[in-house]
């Protein structure tokens, strides 16, 4: 099943081109979505696959003007995947509460910080929590 | 008032001194252990060493008891998270954040921070008012401040230089009542031509004072 239903105006923005950000950008690009990936560090974009067909933008994702420059005001999906939880939270909230982006995903290493934006409809992923879930699943299968 | 200061270095030190002097209670959260030691020795206040963006650190420092939380770190995102956690998790009455990027002033307020201060913007305002005050030497309020008397010296680049008063469209509610040129004292009429170096005595309504001062300080386009 396609994870991203492409329509004319659909545009995805990925903040942070680390391992997660670049993988997401590659994935969405393969799904034919309009993707823009942002990072402060130009060399981060080397992680994108050669077949990546989206845009790259060097800049600070927590800067409001840069977000708008990336087309965030007409995006339907924004994923904040930088290594800094606080930056992810800030970008996520700007995206959700000021730019009203439909789907906002934020990667959090410390899930306790979720309280900062409780009730705003932002989706959070925590690598540790996902690992635990997977751990339980694998162990559960073994016991069966 | 019970006030929590999160992050910051010298700012926290001086602010603590100031607030304690005004009989407020102060609690500090700081990441730098050595600085924590210094602050507790200097002020005998409760100081929690840790990252203030983490809820359990805020809890250790009794954030729920605070009347105000002030976020002083040098990262805007951290200050936002500190204020939001204080507000939403610990129901602190008022939160205040320092922002480095003046753009974030409106962003933070929209996201629920009670008050934001931008050092950059304050600096800009001070610089502007400093330059303004070079022209406006004196400011004399009359009639309980409803009327003010301004003493303005025209600079070489002022837009009004070389123009007769009748040709100058003054801002509303102000009038040039006297022109001092060297030792000469001129009660002006429409034919009076303003020159660089003239000292103008301008009467203005209090609301028009800034407008009048800006008008005569303005440079030719």
């Amino acid at each position: 099943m396609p994870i991203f239903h492409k329509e004319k105006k659909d545009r995805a923005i990925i903040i942070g081109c680390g391992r997660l950000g670049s993988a997401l950008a590659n994935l969405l690009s393969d799904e034919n979505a309009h993707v823009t990936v942002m990072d402060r560090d130009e060399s981060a974009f080397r992680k994108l696959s050669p077949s990546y067909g989206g845009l790259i933008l060097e800049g600070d994702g927590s800067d409001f003007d840069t977000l708008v420059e990336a087309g965030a005001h007409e995006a339907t999906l924004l994923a904040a995947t930088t290594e800094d939880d606080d930056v992810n939270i800030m970008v996520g909230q700007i995206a959700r509460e000021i730019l009203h982006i439909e789907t906002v995903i934020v990667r959090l290493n410390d899930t306790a910080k979720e309280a900062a934006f409780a009730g705003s409809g932002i989706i959070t992923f925590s690598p540790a929590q996902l690992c635990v879930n997977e751990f339980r699943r694998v162990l559960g299968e073994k016991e069966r | 008032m019970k006030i929590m200061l999160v992050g910051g270095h010298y700012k926290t030190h001086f602010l603590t001194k100031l607030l304690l002097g005004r009989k407020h209670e102060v609690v500090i959260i700081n990441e730098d252990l050595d600085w924590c030691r210094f602050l507790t020795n200097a002020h005998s206040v409760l100081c929690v060493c840790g990252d203030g963006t983490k809820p359990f650190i805020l809890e250790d420092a009794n954030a729920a008891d605070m009347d105000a939380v002030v976020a002083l770190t040098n990262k805007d995102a951290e200050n936002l998270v500190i204020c939001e956690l204080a507000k939403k998790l610990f129901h602190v009455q008022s939160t205040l954040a320092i922002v480095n990027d003046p753009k974030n002033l409106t962003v933070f307020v929209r996201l629920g921070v009670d008050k934001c201060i931008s050092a950059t913007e304050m600096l800009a305002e001070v610089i502007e008012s400093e330059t303004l005050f070079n022209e406006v030497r004196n400011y004399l309020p009359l009639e309980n401040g409803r009327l003010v008397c301004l003493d303005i010296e025209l600079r070489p680049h002022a837009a009004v230089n070389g123009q007769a008063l009748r040709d100058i469209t003054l801002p509303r509610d102000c009038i040039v009542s006297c022109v001092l040129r060297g030792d000469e004292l001129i009660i002006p009429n429409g034919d009076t031509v303003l020159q660089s170096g003239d000292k103008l005595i301008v009467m203005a309504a209090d609301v028009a004072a800034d407008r009048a001062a800006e008008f005569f300080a303005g440079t030719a386009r």
Side-chain angles (χ1 to χ4, degrees):
Chain A
M1 195 182 109
I3 58 165
F4 196 93
H5 300 279
K6 190 190 166 202
E7 280 173 28
K8 248 185 183 166
K9 65 185 179 64
D10 277 356
R11 180 186 285 274
I13 293 180
I14 315 281
I15 312 295
C17 192
R19 281 183 295 270
L20 176 61
S22 59
L24 266 179
N26 286 333
L27 183 75
L28 291 172
S29 166
D30 289 346
E31 301 264 346
N32 290 322
H34 291 291
V35 193
T36 302
V37 59
M38 279 173 75
D39 202 291
R40 276 191 309 194
D41 178 11
E42 194 193 355
S43 63
F45 299 122
R46 286 191 299 206
K47 290 194 270 297
L48 294 166
S49 79
S51 65
Y52 174 71
L55 301 171
I56 58 173
L57 183 65
E58 190 186 337
D60 184 354
S62 63
D63 184 293
F64 188 79
D65 292 347
T66 318
L67 273 179
V68 172
E69 190 190 328
H73 52 294
E74 49 192 30
T76 46
L77 171 75
L78 181 138
T81 69
T82 75
E83 58 187 2
D84 188 332
D85 279 359
D86 304 319
V87 169
N88 290 346
I89 290 174
M90 182 167 153
V91 176
Q93 288 189 105
I94 292 176
R96 185 79 192 108
E97 293 175 33
I98 297 180
L99 297 169
H100 306 293
I101 296 177
E102 205 175 292
T103 312
V104 176
I105 300 171
V106 161
R107 188 257 293 264
L108 276 192
N109 292 311
D110 182 0
T111 45
K113 290 186 183 178
E114 252 181 306
F117 51 86
S120 59
I122 295 173
I123 303 165
T124 47
F125 285 158
S126 151
Q129 191 57 49
L130 292 174
C131 279
V132 170
N133 294 350
E134 191 63 8
F135 193 79
R136 269 164 59 188
R137 192 184 65 79
V138 171
L139 283 188
E141 272 178 8
K142 269 199 170 172
E143 276 168 19
R144 227 175 277 153
Chain B
M1 240 180 30
K2 290 182 181 168
I3 301 166
M4 178 181 280
L5 306 177
V6 188
H9 203 70
Y10 285 108
K11 265 189 291 232
T12 320
H13 175 41
F14 298 127
L15 203 53
T16 307
K17 205 188 219 164
L18 215 74
L19 293 171
L20 289 175
R22 297 185 186 176
K23 307 286 175 227
H24 295 294
E25 265 181 66
V26 177
V27 175
I28 294 169
I29 296 180
N30 206 292
E31 263 187 300
D32 182 345
L33 183 59
D34 288 334
W35 193 243
C36 282
R37 286 205 185 101
F38 170 79
L39 290 172
T40 37
N41 284 333
H43 305 294
S44 60
V45 289
L46 173 65
C47 195
V48 175
C49 183
D51 177 357
T53 65
K54 293 200 159 70
F56 74 93
I57 296 283
L58 289 169
E59 199 177 332
D60 277 357
N62 257 334
D65 274 356
M66 296 297 140
D67 298 306
V69 168
V70 185
L72 298 163
T73 78
N74 49 23
K75 278 193 181 155
D76 287 2
E78 283 185 14
N79 290 339
L80 174 70
V81 170
I82 291 164
C83 288
E84 290 192 306
L85 288 174
K87 195 100 208 159
K88 290 176 184 163
L89 215 51
F90 300 100
H91 309 290
V92 174
Q93 184 82 49
S94 53
T95 52
L96 194 152
I98 298 272
V99 299
N100 297 296
D101 183 348
K103 268 194 303 250
N104 286 334
L105 283 172
T106 46
V107 173
F108 279 23
V109 170
R110 283 183 73 172
L111 294 179
V113 179
D114 294 306
K115 190 146 175 55
C116 294
I117 290 174
S118 157
T120 324
E121 194 158 280
M122 278 169 81
L123 200 61
E125 273 169 25
V126 170
I127 292 169
E128 276 181 351
S129 66
E130 277 298 317
T131 46
L132 201 64
F133 271 92
N134 281 338
E135 278 105 4
V136 185
R137 298 278 215 54
N138 254 313
Y139 181 96
L140 178 70
L142 302 166
E143 287 293 313
N144 289 331
R146 273 171 41 217
L147 177 72
V148 291
C149 175
L150 303 165
D151 175 348
I152 300 172
E153 189 172 326
L154 291 180
R155 288 187 159 189
H157 53 63
V160 291
N161 290 351
Q163 293 193 53
L165 267 181
R166 77 165 82 248
D167 299 328
I168 299 172
T169 317
L170 287 172
R172 270 185 56 190
D173 300 330
C174 80
I175 190 164
V176 179
S177 60
C178 185
V179 178
L180 302 161
R181 185 172 297 157
D183 293 333
E184 215 181 333
L185 191 150
I186 306 163
I187 301 297
N189 55 33
D191 297 326
T192 310
V193 177
L194 299 181
Q195 294 177 8
S196 159
D198 280 358
K199 259 204 319 179
L200 312 181
I201 307 296
V202 175
M203 306 298 286
D206 60 343
V207 286
D210 285 350
R211 224 183 305 150
E214 264 167 44
F215 176 77
F216 287 106
T219 49
R221 298 246 162 77

